[in-house]
Amino acid sequence: MSFSSRGEKTPLGIYVHIPFCRSKCQYCDFYSLAGKQEHLMRAYRRAVITHIKESGELAPGYRVDTIYFGGGTPTFFGARGITAILNAIRKSFDVAANAEITFEANPDSVTPWLLHKLRSEGFNRVSLGIQCDDDAILKTIGRPHNYAQAVKAVKMIRRAGFRNISVDLMYGLPGQTLEMWEKTVNHVLQLDPDHISCYGLKLEEGTPLYENQDRYDLPDDDLQADMYLAMVDILRRRGYRQYEISNFAKREMASKHNLKYWNGGEYLGFGPAASSDFAGKRFTIMNDLPGYIQGIHAGGQVISEIQQIPPRERAGEYLMLRLRTTAGISREEYERRYLLNFEPLVEVLDRACLRNLAMSNGKGGYRLTPEGFLLSNSVISDLLIAQEKCQAIGKRV
Ligand code: SF4
């Protein structure tokens, strides 16, 4: 079950994975194929639309309040393909009139025509991958654009009528210093984004950056931590509210779709490598585009992994996911939803408070501090150990 009360249908999120990019970035381990592959793009579009049409009947009574096109690079896939998929979602699901509908974009693959088309079809949020303002670093990490293109893209997006623009930034990049990172953040703030996601570079096994890491001057963990804390401070002073470890927004501009993941909401994913959490089960689609296309058309299996999540594991997920957010966790909610006693967790949380890693709201609620976000893995792992001692309580509280 999701974090919602049993039996209650929460609004549904839909994620569509577009598995195409102009080229592969050196650090990226998301499932996507590089280059224009017209026949595969057409076949993918037909397959995902068929998949969506077949799945609509699985969710009667669900209202869809967020739709997110990620990838991959949806804008590289093109406006006609994206809108055809969005229209299939609208025909197959009950989409709320005020649904948040996002697409991810790269600066090199937006045009005024594409943006106007997507805006007029009902998209109302753009997530633009900028990463940093240094063209030499952008080149090193294999991004297919420079910073001037990013600036131009933001202006184009505003001119097309979007009122909710998010930008993605990365720190800990090869050759990046603390000063360079602070300059990037300040520079990007001049673009006045409504929402900012900032991620530290992670070396993912199998990526070119991982394989060749010795060749690069990569910031160490301490420098990455300094970069993180500096960014939190700059964004706070400029009026952006941190609502998750890596996400910051102006008032009312937090991503409703992403909050669904952290709040344990239900969502369905379409396209290769997409995940779903629906009706108490978590499942992931195979990360193999030809296999996905064939499986959909032949009526075969496209799911690579499916799990029924036991209640105690859901309780652990609540701790893990909610502590990523600034809303944090609450004794009342934990006990009501999972019928487990919260008490064994309090000692760990109080210890974290003494170390300035967490703070209590005095009403049984706790959240991590920015310093705590940096060490969240260790706090959460202590909590999961303590959770083993949480006894079932015999009634809802
Ligand atoms: S554009 Fe995004 S999805 Fe595509 S390779 Fe780069 S990081 Fe990965």
Side-chain angles (χ1 to χ4, degrees):
M1 294 299 291
S2 68
F3 299 166
S4 65
S5 300
R6 292 170 178 77
E8 176 189 311
K9 277 182 181 159
T10 55
L12 185 67
I14 287 184
Y15 173 78
V16 181
H17 189 80
I18 305 286
F20 301 98
C21 289
R22 186 182 302 284
S23 53
K24 278 306 278 188
C25 302
Q26 300 286 302
Y27 56 87
C28 176
D29 73 338
F30 294 133
Y31 181 71
S32 70
L33 308 178
K36 218 40 173 191
Q37 312 201 31
E38 299 287 358
H39 70 288
L40 261 181
M41 286 175 159
R42 277 196 298 274
Y44 161 77
R45 173 172 154 176
R46 281 194 298 271
V48 80
I49 286 176
T50 303
H51 192 187
I52 287 165
K53 285 182 179 162
E54 286 171 355
S55 304
E57 63 201 39
L58 295 176
Y62 277 89
R63 165 68 54 103
V64 173
D65 69 342
T66 66
I67 301 174
Y68 193 102
F69 283 70
T73 313
T75 44
F76 178 67
F77 181 64
R80 287 192 180 90
I82 304 173
T83 53
I85 298 169
L86 178 61
N87 288 332
I89 295 172
R90 284 213 169 98
K91 281 189 190 137
S92 308
F93 291 87
D94 174 17
V95 178
N98 64 348
E100 176 189 271
I101 309 181
T102 305
F103 62 92
E104 288 181 352
N106 270 348
D108 55 293
S109 56
V110 292
T111 62
W113 180 84
L114 172 140
L115 293 165
H116 279 103
K117 170 88 180 146
L118 295 181
R119 184 70 194 99
S120 65
E121 293 285 345
F123 284 89
N124 48 32
R125 185 170 183 274
V126 185
S127 172
L128 183 72
I130 293 182
Q131 316 314 350
C132 78
D133 70 342
D134 185 299
D135 288 346
I137 294 181
L138 289 171
K139 196 164 174 211
T140 302
I141 60 174
R143 295 290 300 175
H145 59 86
N146 58 31
Y147 187 63
Q149 284 174 290
V151 173
K152 201 169 151 202
V154 172
K155 289 184 183 153
M156 245 190 263
I157 293 167
R158 286 249 184 262
R159 269 202 298 271
F162 287 92
R163 299 278 167 270
N164 191 347
I165 303 179
S166 176
V167 298
D168 273 10
L169 302 178
M170 286 180 88
Y171 58 93
L173 296 173
Q176 197 177 40
T177 62
L178 179 59
E179 292 68 33
M180 288 163 86
W181 169 238
E182 288 175 338
K183 183 174 124 315
T184 288
V185 177
N186 284 312
H187 221 163
V188 167
L189 284 172
Q190 291 171 12
L191 303 175
D192 196 26
D194 305 287
H195 181 282
I196 304 179
S197 299
C198 298
Y199 300 102
L201 175 71
K202 285 207 175 60
L203 293 173
E204 303 288 357
E205 224 173 314
T207 60
L209 208 60
Y210 178 92
E211 302 303 334
N212 302 310
Q213 54 187 283
D214 297 343
R215 289 199 215 147
Y216 299 105
D217 173 21
L218 288 163
D220 62 17
D221 288 351
D222 286 346
L223 180 50
Q224 272 216 22
D226 289 345
M227 288 174 165
Y228 176 80
L229 293 174
M231 157 194 84
V232 169
D233 188 47
I234 296 172
L235 294 179
R236 184 185 50 76
R237 283 190 279 113
R238 296 292 293 270
Y240 288 81
R241 192 178 77 84
Q242 180 171 24
Y243 68 100
E244 194 264 350
I245 293 183
S246 309
N247 285 281
F248 306 79
K250 289 185 184 170
R251 182 180 281 275
E252 307 288 322
M253 291 300 198
S255 160
K256 295 189 181 73
H257 186 81
N258 288 342
L259 276 169
K260 214 177 270 298
Y261 298 140
W262 302 313
N263 287 337
E266 290 185 282
Y267 53 92
L268 279 174
F270 296 97
S275 296
S276 301
D277 194 341
F278 183 71
K281 293 196 180 70
R282 169 137 348 103
F283 44 100
T284 306
I285 296 172
M286 56 170 69
N287 57 357
D288 165 15
L289 180 58
Y292 173 74
I293 293 169
Q294 206 210 346
I296 292 294
H297 292 312
Q301 186 57 270
V302 295
I303 290 173
S304 64
E305 238 184 279
I306 185 158
Q307 270 180 299
Q308 177 89 36
I309 311 294
R312 191 172 278 264
E313 198 173 320
R314 285 282 180 201
E317 284 181 356
Y318 169 84
L319 299 175
M320 273 190 280
L321 295 172
R322 276 293 179 83
L323 282 172
R324 292 183 62 99
T325 71
T326 51
I329 56 176
S330 108
R331 173 193 287 265
E332 183 277 327
E333 191 172 40
Y334 182 84
E335 295 192 339
R336 174 168 47 83
R337 295 205 165 151
Y338 307 108
L339 303 177
L340 290 173
N341 186 336
F342 191 78
E343 204 49 40
L345 307 179
V346 171
E347 192 191 324
V348 176
L349 290 162
D350 285 346
R351 228 175 24 238
C353 288
L354 285 175
R355 294 170 63 206
N356 189 34
L357 301 179
M359 54 208 271
S360 153
N361 66 5
K363 298 181 215 154
Y366 292 85
R367 54 158 288 193
L368 297 185
T369 60
E371 290 75 12
F373 283 141
L374 280 170
L375 296 176
S376 60
N377 287 348
S378 118
V379 177
I380 290 166
S381 125
D382 289 349
L383 280 171
L384 293 179
I385 293 168
Q387 188 184 248
E388 296 299 312
K389 296 185 215 136
C390 293
Q391 301 289 332
I393 43 183
K395 58 180 177 64
R396 282 180 184 272
V397 289

